[in-house]
Amino acid sequence: MDTENLRSFLEVAEHGSFTVAASRLNLAQSTVSARIRGLEEQLGRRLFVRDRDGVTLTPAGRQFLPHASSITRTWEQSRQDIAVPDGYDSLLRLTAPAYLWERITSPWVEWMRARRPNVALRLEGSFPDLAIDQLAEGLLDICILYLPRPHPGIVYETLAVDQVVLVQHAAQTKPWTENYILMDWGLEFRIEHDRAFAGMVKPAISAGLVFIGLQHVLSQQAAAYLPLSAVSGHIERGEMRRIGNAPVFQRPIYLAYPSNPVSSDVLDVALTGLRALARDWAKGQGFSEGDRSLGMAGQV
């Protein structure tokens, strides 16, 4: 479907006039009319009715209006997302969980600027399923996520293993079980969690996003299982504390990228940097098997 036809449709719908729409689009009125006819033929429905008061939408036209607007916005956003800024040779787009910024994303930006200063960087944040679709469609180059979804043309590799630890707000004096939010890290975690805390009453509040769990612990003086990468700063500042003798779960962090990238040289440099930073981060965690670690793969 031609987006120019959609733009003509939206202009006519907004102004109720082919003449005004043609003027705003800097086109001949006959061109706008031809575009609308083409759109109507594609859809198999009339979109406008002409009368003495101007042009009005038919019921089918009113139903199509939000779809046309959404398609046009998505197209324009996609054009902006893939556009290379002036003065740069190419654009590399990465999405990663926000709480990995300090340990992975920010150092990686410095890595890329030092080694490929002619490459512009675009940093995104999105849900895993959406990110994988964007990778497949060429709207992303690299994705860091927790639950890989098989997709043709996409390569997955384990970047690092995060620790999921039980933390409690520092101001909470009661047992952590009395104000606990259950984080849903997937089926494996739920099984291991129930095994570790057999007989525990199911918490009234649960969440599936790190941001929600983190904010709940901070604002409600609660407890939760959260990635160490997300809470280590709060622990260092004395805002949270780890619960002693609680099981520690391991949570793989995956790297996803296209098997046939547009620019393999740039992608190779970017991936090399992420792998090196992840190795440094893993060494800094000081993880040991004595932490009663339990295997677990889930998603944010």
Side-chain angles (χ1 to χ4, degrees), residues 4 21 23 30 39 41 87 90 104 107 157 182-183 222 266 276 282 285 297:
E4 294 302 318
S23 176
S30 59
L39 198 54
E41 290 173 2
S90 60
I104 297 290
E157 66 177 74
L182 177 63
M183 300 303 298
V266 172
Q285 287 196 100

Side-chain angles (χ1 to χ4, degrees), residues 100-128:
L100 292 180
W101 171 262
E102 183 178 350
R103 290 169 175 79
I104 297 290
T105 313
S106 180
W108 174 79
V109 170
E110 295 182 20
W111 169 284
M112 290 298 297
R113 300 307 302 139
R115 289 161 179 79
R116 289 294 185 274
N118 60 328
V119 176
L121 303 176
R122 183 179 179 88
L123 309 176
E124 302 279 1
S126 62
F127 291 99

Side-chain angles (χ1 to χ4, degrees), residues 2-39 47-48 55 57 64-65 68 72:
D2 192 335
T3 56
E4 294 302 318
N5 290 355
L6 296 179
R7 289 186 60 202
S8 296
F9 166 76
L10 292 172
E11 288 289 345
V12 175
E14 180 178 357
H15 300 287
S17 168
F18 280 78
T19 302
V20 175
S23 176
R24 289 179 57 84
L25 294 170
N26 197 27
L27 297 170
Q29 184 174 334
S30 59
T31 301
V32 174
S33 297
R35 288 180 174 180
I36 299 302
R37 283 197 302 272
L39 198 54
L47 299 175
F48 293 104
V55 180
L57 287 165
F64 182 61
L65 183 61
T72 303

